[in-house]
Structure formats: structure tokens, C-alpha cells
Amino acid sequence: MKRPSPTEFTRRVLHVLRRIPAGRVVTYGDVARLAGRVGAARAVGQIMARAEEPGLPYHRVIAAGGRVGGFGGNPQMKASLLAAEGHVIRRGRIANFAARRWDGS
DNA sequence: CGCCTGACCGAAT
DNA sequence: TATTCGGCCAGGC
């Protein structure tokens, strides 16, 4: 194998990303919760920052309160991708965040 | 095994 | 509303 085995938590995080519907968003904290580690929001950020697997909607994971949050390389691209999926972004935040937030169902 | 970092969170100021 | 601070967790060294 060219790389060390990912921990189960890491696998779960990536699995959650695949389930996020287009046009919806979740917070890092939500991903942590859905992956089974409440409070591991920072860890989720680390995993995503180092994740190599392409094709995952990393841009659909935002910070708490609907804030866009960070992004590797071009932070602006994240906002663009979100806008392309129908989100309205104002002053770094998703408009009507509560309604666009995915609860994992 | 211990210390540092970071695509974070939320309460307090 | 903006800024600061302590806490939390996995990964890299």
C-alpha cells in the first residue's frame, strides 16, 4: 500500500462527505458528530486538509453558524463552488443557513 | 510517548 | 458586530 491505513474515524468522515446532497451544506462539527466523534470539528478540518481522495464535495463542509470557513489553496473558490450550487453568500456567510443545512438524513 | 499544528466551536468580552 | 480565549481531537515529528 502506498499509504498508511486511515483510522476508522477518517474513513467515516470521508463516507459522510459522500452522503452530502448537492445544494446542501454541513458544518465541520456536524461531520464530526455524524462520524461518531462529537467535538472533533478540528480533527475533521485536519483530515480534509490532508485528504487526497478527489471527487468529494469538500466545499460543502463549512464552519459553524453558516460561515464559509477555510479551504486549501483558494479560499475564494470555495465560495464560488457554493454559489454555483445555488447558495447565496454575504459577508462570508451562507444566507438562510438553517434551511440549507443538511442534518444527515 | 510528548509536543505542536490546524479547512473548528462556542462562550465571554 | 468584532475579537479573544480555552477546549477539543487526529495527524505529523
Side-chain angles (χ1 to χ4, degrees):
Chain A
M1 306 317 211
K2 33 185 175 163
R3 62 183 46 280
S5 318
T7 66
E8 186 172 320
F9 176 64
T10 296
R11 277 182 298 168
R12 288 195 176 208
V13 167
L14 297 179
H15 181 70
V16 170
L17 293 184
R18 293 185 185 294
R19 298 176 43 195
I20 305 174
R24 300 292 214 107
V25 293
V26 290
T27 69
Y28 292 92
D30 288 340
V31 175
R33 176 172 53 75
L34 293 172
R37 285 291 178 279
V38 178
R42 300 189 69 173
V44 171
Q46 282 296 50
I47 292 170
M48 294 178 74
R50 297 183 179 276
E52 307 172 15
E53 189 169 333
L56 298 180
Y58 296 110
H59 60 282
R60 291 180 190 152
V61 183
I62 64 179
R67 288 175 300 113
V68 175
F71 199 69
N74 296 56
Q76 290 195 327
M77 181 161 58
K78 185 172 182 179
S80 298
L81 290 169
L82 288 170
E85 294 192 346
H87 300 287
V88 177
I89 302 174
R90 289 213 164 105
R91 281 144 42 185
R93 307 208 299 101
I94 300 285
N96 197 10
F97 166 60
R100 292 180 172 286
R101 182 184 194 178
W102 179 58
D103 60 5
S105 63

